[in-house]
Structure formats: structure tokens, C-alpha cells
Amino acid sequence: MPAISTSAAALTPSWAQRMWRATDNVLTRALATPLAVDDYLQWFNPLWSSRTIRAEVVAVQRETPSVTTISLRPNAHWPGHRAGQHVLLTVQCDGVRHSRCFTIASGEQEPLLRLTIKAHEQGLVSREVLERMRDGDLVELSAPQGEFLLPEGDGPLLMICGGSGITPMLSMLRTLAAAGQQRDVVLVHYYSTAAEALAVEELAVLAAQWPQLRSLGCCTREAGQGLNGGRFSLAQLQALVPDAAARQWLLCGPAGLMDAVQQASVEAGVAPPLSERFELSPPTVVGEGEVHFARSAVSADGEQGGSLLELAEQAGLTPRYGCRMGICQACKCHVDSGLVRDLRTGEVREVRNESVQICVHAPAGPVQVQL
Amino acid sequence: MNAIVPKRLEGAELEAFGNEIEALRQEVMSSLGERDEAYLRRILRWQRGTEIGGRALLFAGWLPPAWLAGTALLSISKILENMEIGHNVMHGQWDWLQDERLRGDVYEWDNVCPSDQWRHSHNYMHHTYTNIVGKDRDVGYGIMRMSEDQEWHPVYRFQPLYNWVLAGLFQWGVALHDVEFDQVITRRKTLREAWQQLREIGRKSRRQVLKDYLLFPLLAGPGALPVLAGNVSANLVRNLWSYAIIFCGHFPDGVSMFTEQEAEGETRAGWYQRQLLGSSNLEGGRLFHIMSGHLSHQIEHHLFPDMPAHRYAEIGPRVEEICARYGLPYNSGGFRKQFFSVLRRISQLSRRPEPQALAA
């Protein structure tokens, strides 16, 4: 059985990629200065770039009322992914660029890159995808990232996933199927309602052609749907998959499911599951109302009042500043995350990876500043 | 000139005026979105397009019509890049797009002045201390007498002449502006600091000189000379145009200058009032406003330096209406009229002032 690995493809650039990189050289940079070579390449075609991975949206498909799959045709810089990896997607929402991580759902051999994205109530990017993304839109991508990969060899697998946590599993199954590998896999997929179940038909087709694949859907909130097993428990798992302890576990889903499965793996005495966490990482700020100046590893009490600039100065730092009244922008600093109050308007807003004028912003909660 | 001293608000009335201006700022800033982004992308496309087209045409520059068209396109491109893109991006007007390429604190413009020095001399010094004689170095740029409050010196006799040299070499004047040679002579700034800045200017200008006066002409092979001439001309046209627009912003008749005492302890409302009284608008069509980087809306620009400039035209009438209600002047005029009043001021102030009659 041929081992599947695209890592070689990811490391050595293709000839097309090398050609694009060569467009940015000493001469073209001197001709483009002070702009970048890419500024001109993009004038001819927005997908052209010497280095950046850009992609065109070629299909937008509604999977469930809250889940959309977008198919992307990337430019030559896309190095190919390995099943289970994710990518940082950058889209524009009302003119503003935002980036979020999404797991890749397509198989390694597929010509188009597919992302299956669940829209969250507060999710800026996921809602933009659900509500406004159209064929022909352009997006930017990072290189594929992540170490949540198919285990090497041909040992039996147990995939446990919840909601859109099924996407990396789908990528793995699609990759195996396309390579003609009939590895022994059990997929246990939790979904809240029947309408929210993903890839039901595709999984049925796959299982029909692939005798050693078992796909078990568990509906947690509706009676009469799926296996109706309710939420995950070790007993339920042992009933569904008697040889669970003999398999390598793979896990992806919401925090509650992740914690329950990790716990169960300890009780069952199996190796800790390979897993991918989906949650947004909580702000890396220590304490309530505390300002953390990350670069100098100094903290200040936000309660004591004053602008971020004043707090930094009181903490012994010497940030750059100019007018100290919000005009000249000399004091702008990168804020990793936090709640800030605009001292000119009193408006409080949440900031994530943004430059902020520290002379006219005060902390309104925990804030982490790159100073 | 400056014969009528415009009314200045004080106390509660001044604060009320400031609150109205601030409310207008918040209203616009909270409405920024896709429409604004689309506008900027269009401008960027035009700037790139005119540059690519202009340089391509100049390669056929031995044909006079191609040379003229190429030079014109390249001039337009340079004007757009410096005024509607560079100047405005560096004010942070587009930071909210979260686009790394359009961040005010890192953008480099196609001008021999290093962006960092510009951000200091312009964004900070000029926009904070606007028209305060002795603090705002844009009042005469350290070489000209633009206000009666500046002391006369015999060298100013020649300013009607060297004014035109400054106009033609404007980007070089802008580049040397933040070095503040006068401060070095009076020892308020060390020679070492000035030298450091000069070296940065050297690095920055070398790149423009290499690109416009060496590489592109060389690429044209036998057509090197027309390309060189076209590039020199485009830089000159941009210099003259930006000089004219900028001088019309603060020096026409009716614009106030301030003393340091007048600005002391000023509130934000006071700052708004000084921005208003110290600036003057130019009237014109949409294309004129774009080509001036919307500095034709100098008043709105000075009130709201970090607001995307294409919004100035929309809110101009509302600023004017607020001013009218408070009895404040809203200086505005056609380009020709304003420019001639600037030239008149340059020539009048070049003369030694008559000793003032003691009891007027």
C-alpha cells in the first residue's frame, strides 16, 4: 500500500512558484521602489503575486442552514496541504480585512481547496462567508499549518468529532478514498439536529464502496435521528465500537466533547487522542483590568486610570508619542487583544490584532499591548 | 491683509462648537466601510495604471505625442501617489482597513522625503501646532516670511524669487524640512542628529534618483534621453502642483496666524477652532479635489486629519453650516484667486515693514 505523503510537495517549490518568486528581484524592486513588485503585478491580475497565496472563490455551497463550503482555486504559491491541516483565511468584511483559521475539508489530491465553515453567532468572518461570499470573490491564504495529521501506517482508526469538527476527518477520509486505501476506520460524528449533519450522503457513498469504513452519526438533540445516542460517554462509545481500545483515536470538536473524550481515553487506558482544538484561544492576558506590555514583560493595573500611553510611562517604558491628543498617530501600537475605551468618545470596543493610538485609548478590561 | 481679525469663540460657546465638530467626526468615522475601501482601491488602480501606461509610452518617447502623453500620465500617477494616497495613508486615514500595505506608520511614498521624517514634521508638528508662529515650521518652512508676526530679515527681500526655486524643487524642500538647519545653527539641535537625518534623506532620495534618472532610461536603450526628460518633467510637474495646493491651504488672505500664548492651555474645541481659522479651502470639481489629495478641503483635513479624505467633500457643507451658525469664517475660494493672494503675500512680506506708528 503506497504511503500518502505530500510533505515533499510542500517543501520543494514548483517551477511556477519559482518563476513567480523570481519576479521580485534586485532589479524589479529598484524599478518599483518605494512600492512593492506585487503592487504592480496585482494591477494586471489580482491573483498574481511574487509570494502571497491568493485564491479565487469558484463555488459557494450551502451545506446546512449555518454551514457553507467554499471551493477555492489558489495561485501557484499554494504548496498543497496534508489531510487534517488548517489554513488562515483572510477576507474583507465591510472593507476591513480579517483573518481566521479554518480546517481544510478537501482531500490532498483534489484540484480545488475546500473549506467547510460553520457560521457562529458572533463570528465576523464565518458570517461574512455564510451571508455574502460569492463566486469570483478573492481571498488570501496562509500556508497550510497544523500537526493534526493521519497517523502513518495502516493501523485501525477511531475518529470522534462534533459539529464542524468533522472537516479534518472528511479531508482524511477523502484522501484515503482517492488513494484507494481501505484502511479500517470508524467515524463517530456528533451533531445537534438532523439539519446540521454534514456530508451525510457522501459518507453513505464512501461506506458503500469501502467495507472497512463505518460511519456512525449521533444526534444529540432530536429524537428519532441518527443513532440517538445522546451526548458522548465512554459506555456509549464501548457499545458502538467494541474494539475502541485497539484503535488510534483522533478527536476534533467543541471544547465539551474534547474534554469528555480526553477523560474517557484515560479511563479506557488508551493513548491520548490525536486532537485539534477549535475554540478561539482566550486572550493571553493575566488578570481582570490588567494591562500587559508583552515585549517588555511588564504589567500595570488598568484600574488606576489614564491612557495606555500614561500607564506605559508610569511602568517605566518609553513609547513613541507626538501630540498626545489623537491627531498625529505617532504613538500607534499593536494591541494583541483586549477591551479599550476611546477617551475622545467614551466608546468601548474589543480589539484583536490591531494598531491603536495609545494616547487616546484607556484599558476597559484586560489588554495586551506590544510594547 | 489680515486686516479684519475674525471672531474667536470662547468659553461655553467654544465648547458647544467643538462638540458639534466632534459629533460630526464620530458620525463619519463610525460609518466607514465597503464604499470607502472600494474608493481607495479605485484610486490605487488608477495610480498604478497611469504609471504603467506612462512609463510604457515614454519608451516610445522619441515620438512627440507619445512623450507628451507618457509624461502627462506619469505626472498624474506621481501626484495621485503623493497626495491622494501617500499623504493620506501616512495620516492613518486607512489604518482601519487592516491592510499591511496601507498602514500609516510604515507606508513609504514616492518622494525623496523619508516617510518617518514626514510623519514627524507634518503629522505631529504641523497638524498639532498649526499656524502657531514659532512652533509650526510650515509657516514659511524656516526660509520664508509668511506672517507679519515673523521678524523681518534682509534675506526675505529675495523670497519672491527663491519661492519659485522652492516650487520647482518642492519635494527636496519637503525632504530637508525636518532637518531644521536653522535649529542646528542656533544650537537647539545637534549636528549629529541633523547628520543622521541627512543620511536617511540620502538613502531615500538615492532610490528615486536611481529609478527615475538611471534605470528606466537605461531600460529604454537608445530611447534613454526622452525617458529621462519625461521622468524629470513628471517629478517637476508633481513638485509645482503640490507646492501650489499646499501654499493655498494656509497662506491666502483671511487665514489667521496664532501666537504661542493664544494656543496655551487650549482645549480640543480650541484646537478645532484654530484648525478652522488657520486653513483655507479651494473650490473645484471632483477631479480637482482628487488630484489635490482632497487638500482642497484643507479645513476639513485639518479638523479631521485621520478621516478618509474623500469624505471631506461630503461633509464640507455641514462644517460650513456649523461655522455660519457660530459666526466663524469658512475661508474658501477659487484656485486662481487664492494662489494670487499667496503670491501677493510673499511679495508684500518680503519688504521691510514700515515702522509702526506708535499711537495708531
Side-chain angles (χ1 to χ4, degrees):
Chain A
M1 216 181 278
I4 295 168
S5 174
T6 52
S7 59
L11 290 177
T12 33
S14 66
W15 67 267
Q17 203 179 349
R18 259 178 289 179
M19 188 198 79
W20 281 113
R21 282 190 191 168
T23 60
D24 187 2
N25 56 51
V26 180
L27 178 65
T28 56
R29 267 199 297 276
L31 292 173
T33 186
L35 297 184
V37 177
D38 270 21
D39 292 328
Y40 296 96
L41 289 178
Q42 273 171 50
W43 188 80
F44 293 97
N45 182 333
L47 284 172
W48 288 4
S49 166
S50 64
R51 221 152 256 279
T52 313
I53 308 170
R54 278 182 236 282
E56 187 186 354
V57 177
V58 292
V60 179
Q61 193 188 337
R62 184 66 60 88
E63 304 272 357
T64 77
S66 68
V67 177
T68 317
T69 294
I70 53 172
S71 301
L72 303 170
R73 184 177 293 127
N75 64 12
H77 297 294
W78 178 250
H81 75 286
R82 297 183 67 189
Q85 285 191 303
H86 54 259
V87 68
L88 197 64
L89 173 77
T90 303
V91 298
Q92 264 177 28
C93 313
D94 201 15
V96 183
R97 285 165 60 100
H98 291 278
S99 305
R100 295 287 185 276
C101 258
F102 296 104
T103 308
I104 300 166
S106 45
E108 291 172 6
Q109 305 88 339
E110 290 178 40
L112 293 180
L113 182 69
R114 280 186 290 161
L115 303 178
T116 296
I117 294 171
K118 181 175 168 68
H120 295 279
E121 203 74 16
Q122 314 273 300
L124 202 62
V125 172
S126 60
R127 291 227 79 88
E128 175 77 18
V129 169
L130 181 78
E131 287 157 19
R132 274 178 290 276
M133 192 160 270
R134 300 277 174 274
D135 294 9
D137 283 358
L138 295 169
V139 298
E140 215 171 285
L141 300 170
S142 70
Q145 309 161 346
E147 295 301 314
F148 181 60
L149 304 172
L150 260 178
E152 300 275 322
D154 53 7
L157 304 176
L158 169 63
M159 298 175 170
I160 306 172
C161 51
S164 55
I166 196 172
T167 44
M169 313 303 186
L170 285 175
S171 176
M172 293 175 182
L173 294 176
R174 286 163 177 161
T175 301
L176 289 169
Q181 289 195 31
Q182 302 211 332
R183 198 161 167 173
D184 182 355
V185 181
V186 178
L187 173 76
V188 186
H189 177 213
Y190 293 85
Y191 49 88
S192 55
T193 62
E196 290 293 331
L198 287 167
V200 181
E201 283 166 38
E202 187 186 349
L203 284 170
V205 172
L206 271 181
Q209 304 162 344
W210 180 348
Q212 284 166 288
L213 171 68
R214 275 214 297 152
S215 166
L216 308 170
C218 297
C219 187
T220 55
R221 285 200 206 143
E222 275 178 349
Q225 299 291 341
L227 286 173
N228 256 332
R231 291 182 172 279
F232 171 87
S233 70
L234 183 56
Q236 178 206 45
L237 181 69
Q238 281 164 341
L240 287 173
V241 191
D243 62 347
R247 294 171 177 272
Q248 164 76 59
W249 294 16
L250 285 88
L251 171 62
C252 184
L257 176 72
M258 304 271 296
D259 294 341
V261 176
Q262 308 258 15
Q263 180 70 33
S265 71
V266 175
E267 286 169 31
V270 299
L274 300 175
S275 64
E276 176 88 322
R277 211 165 257 278
F278 254 180
E279 307 291 290
L280 302 170
S281 54
T284 44
V285 180
V286 271
E288 229 346 89
E290 185 156 5
V291 183
H292 185 59
F293 299 105
R295 230 176 274 171
S296 37
V298 175
S299 289
D301 179 10
E303 309 279 297
Q304 67 195 55
S307 65
L308 287 166
L309 174 60
E310 287 159 356
L311 287 175
E313 286 171 339
Q314 282 156 21
L317 309 181
T318 50
R320 261 168 46 124
Y321 66 85
C323 66
R324 300 185 80 104
M325 57 188 291
I327 303 156
C328 75
Q329 315 262 340
C331 67
K332 270 208 163 172
C333 264
H334 188 89
V335 170
D336 299 315
S337 64
L339 270 186
V340 296
R341 175 181 294 109
D342 188 329
L343 292 170
R344 295 167 295 185
T345 63
E347 179 205 2
V348 173
R349 65 196 173 91
E350 200 190 332
V351 176
R352 277 176 68 185
N353 287 324
E354 212 177 285
S355 273
V356 167
Q357 289 169 282
I358 58 173
C359 71
V360 287
H361 284 90
V367 182
Q368 175 157 307
V369 189
Q370 282 298 328
L371 259 178
Chain B
M1 191 184 356
N2 277 1
I4 311 146
V5 175
K7 173 185 169 185
R8 288 186 193 174
L9 303 178
E10 278 172 9
E13 207 185 359
L14 175 63
E15 292 309 309
F17 163 77
N19 288 341
E20 288 202 40
I21 296 289
E22 178 60 28
L24 187 56
R25 187 186 81 86
Q26 284 173 36
E27 181 192 319
V28 176
M29 295 307 265
S30 61
S31 72
L32 296 177
E34 214 164 319
R35 170 168 79 96
D36 304 270
E37 195 262 355
Y39 169 81
L40 182 65
R41 296 287 163 205
R42 257 194 327 273
I43 292 293
L44 289 170
R45 261 197 87 64
W46 272 95
Q47 188 269 320
R48 277 33 157 182
T50 46
E51 178 173 2
I52 291 167
R55 293 199 189 273
L57 277 169
L58 280 175
F59 281 150
W62 29 266
L63 289 168
W67 187 87
L68 271 176
T71 304
L73 284 181
L74 191 56
S75 305
I76 290 171
S77 162
K78 280 182 177 275
I79 287 169
L80 279 176
E81 197 282 332
N82 272 199
M83 304 190 74
E84 181 65 346
I85 303 169
H87 166 266
N88 292 340
V89 166
M90 285 190 289
H91 266 296
Q93 292 181 4
W94 299 100
D95 282 14
W96 59 277
L97 294 179
Q98 306 254 44
D99 185 332
E100 284 299 300
R101 298 281 312 134
L102 299 167
R103 260 176 54 189
D105 54 343
V106 294
Y107 189 87
E108 262 307 332
W109 59 344
D110 181 21
N111 187 298
V112 291
C113 174
S115 291
D116 269 329
Q117 293 183 27
W118 171 261
R119 280 183 273 264
H120 176 257
S121 68
H122 180 80
N123 291 9
Y124 171 41
M125 297 299 281
H126 171 56
H127 273 272
T128 309
Y129 303 116
T130 314
N131 286 23
I132 300 177
V133 178
K135 287 205 96 169
D136 178 4
R137 299 183 45 80
D138 280 27
V139 180
Y141 302 97
I143 52 171
M144 291 175 73
R145 184 163 179 261
M146 297 306 293
S147 159
E148 289 95 341
D149 300 334
Q150 281 171 284
E151 218 171 293
W152 188 81
H153 185 278
V155 82
Y156 292 137
R157 279 210 180 98
F158 303 100
Q159 73 178 20
L161 282 177
Y162 64 65
N163 168 48
W164 290 106
V165 178
L166 174 67
L169 298 173
F170 195 57
Q171 68 160 340
W172 296 93
V174 167
L176 295 175
H177 187 34
D178 200 37
V179 182
E180 308 171 319
F181 286 113
D182 51 321
Q183 305 274 326
V184 179
I185 294 166
T186 54
R187 306 251 169 141
R188 267 175 290 187
K189 182 168 178 171
T190 67
L191 203 57
R192 177 190 284 273
E193 278 175 274
W195 177 242
Q196 199 58 37
Q197 286 187 304
L198 279 172
R199 283 177 45 160
E200 275 166 40
I201 295 166
R203 268 197 294 275
K204 180 75 198 287
S205 53
R206 203 157 49 225
R207 283 190 271 160
Q208 193 196 68
V209 168
L210 187 75
K211 170 177 83 159
D212 281 344
Y213 304 150
L214 193 71
L215 289 178
F216 273 107
L218 277 180
L219 273 183
L225 271 182
V227 170
L228 177 65
N231 292 354
V232 171
S233 306
N235 277 324
L236 177 68
V237 169
R238 184 268 325 273
N239 284 351
L240 293 173
W241 177 251
S242 49
Y243 158 85
I245 293 296
I246 286 160
F247 268 59
C248 283
H250 295 293
F251 306 131
D253 289 351
V255 171
S256 303
M257 296 288 168
F258 296 80
T259 62
E260 290 189 45
Q261 289 88 339
E262 282 172 313
E264 215 170 292
E266 186 179 64
T267 61
R268 189 159 182 96
W271 180 82
Y272 275 141
Q273 171 168 258
R274 180 157 52 82
Q275 300 308 315
L276 169 75
L277 299 180
S279 309
S280 177
N281 281 5
L282 291 170
E283 288 152 12
R286 181 145 190 263
L287 193 63
F288 174 75
H289 292 314
I290 292 173
M291 292 304 284
S292 72
H294 288 92
L295 293 182
S296 47
H297 286 284
Q298 191 73 225
I299 292 174
E300 287 74 23
H301 175 56
H302 263 269
L303 292 173
F304 314 117
D306 58 355
M307 177 186 292
H310 75 126
R311 293 288 195 112
Y312 297 159
E314 293 173 23
I315 58 164
R318 295 178 59 188
V319 175
E320 193 172 358
E321 186 270 326
I322 295 173
C323 293
R325 264 194 288 115
Y326 285 88
L328 290 170
Y330 182 88
N331 289 310
S332 188
F335 176 69
R336 221 168 312 163
K337 171 178 158 257
Q338 301 294 72
F339 191 56
F340 279 114
S341 86
V342 171
L343 293 182
R344 200 172 54 236
R345 178 187 283 221
I346 290 171
S347 113
Q348 282 173 348
L349 290 179
S350 71
R351 283 177 234 133
R352 181 205 287 274
E354 303 278 331
Q356 295 279 314
L358 283 174

